[in-house]
Amino acid sequence: MIDNILGHSFFQKLDENSIVVDLGANKGIFAHSIIQRYGSRVFSVEPVPSLAQGIDGHPRLTLLPWAVSGSAGTMRINVYADRCASGFGPHTAETVVQTLDADTVTLAEFRRRNGISRINLLKIDIEGAELDMFAAAADAEFADIDQITIEFHDFLYPDTRPAVEAVKQRLRNLGFYVMPFSLDNTDVLFVNRRMGIGWPDRLWARTAVKYGRGIRRRLQRLV
């Protein structure tokens, strides 16, 4: 019922007719896993050339060299040695190994350019730019999105925590169930109420799945 790929949890309501949008493809593992497991059509973005060039092509995958953010233009991206590239500056003692300028689009423009109407699963892992993306998106834009699985980055940038909580409250107000699968906002699932996921399945996901994973992680540390 609940799948998890690279720390992103979602209900297994996908098939070959589903549209999956993958913001932050990195090495392409999420996109190719979706295609392998469900046969879905995947639209991915990855603005770091060294990563994008390493992603294998597939007839069900469209890969674009953009960064999705809050406006159209360019974004200066810092590439780090020990963590994912980000538009945010380095922490103390972090080393920037490369900087690059990436073309940016809003979520609405990304969908328009690719002819995407309904999104069955939106995966977001864009290293802090998700806050600008949400701020720029109109409320109506979320009505035809079934699920959003996201890694927020307030664990790296604590000053953004109020904005993260505001996004969660906004989507709750727009009719999404908010389902955290982690303690630090690195795995949060938003489920559109129109999907009709009943309370028994939500309860099972919130308890057995979430806490079962936590127990397994603790046991693994003891081995």
Side-chain angles (χ1 to χ4, degrees), residues 106-136:
T106 63
L107 179 59
E109 179 64 12
F110 173 81
R111 295 174 69 171
R112 187 192 68 77
R113 292 187 188 185
N114 289 284
I116 299 172
S117 53
R118 180 176 179 179
I119 298 175
N120 300 101
L121 176 64
L122 172 61
K123 171 256 189 180
I124 305 172
D125 189 355
I126 51 178
E127 305 303 314
E130 65 272 7
L131 297 176
D132 288 339
M133 186 209 78
F134 277 108

Side-chain angles (χ1 to χ4, degrees), residues 150-171:
I150 182 168
E151 177 181 333
F152 288 106
H153 292 83
D154 50 317
F155 68 99
L156 286 173
Y157 311 107
D159 290 347
T160 67
R161 194 155 297 144
V164 169
E165 294 306 313
V167 169
K168 291 160 71 174
Q169 185 58 51
R170 179 187 178 191
L171 288 179

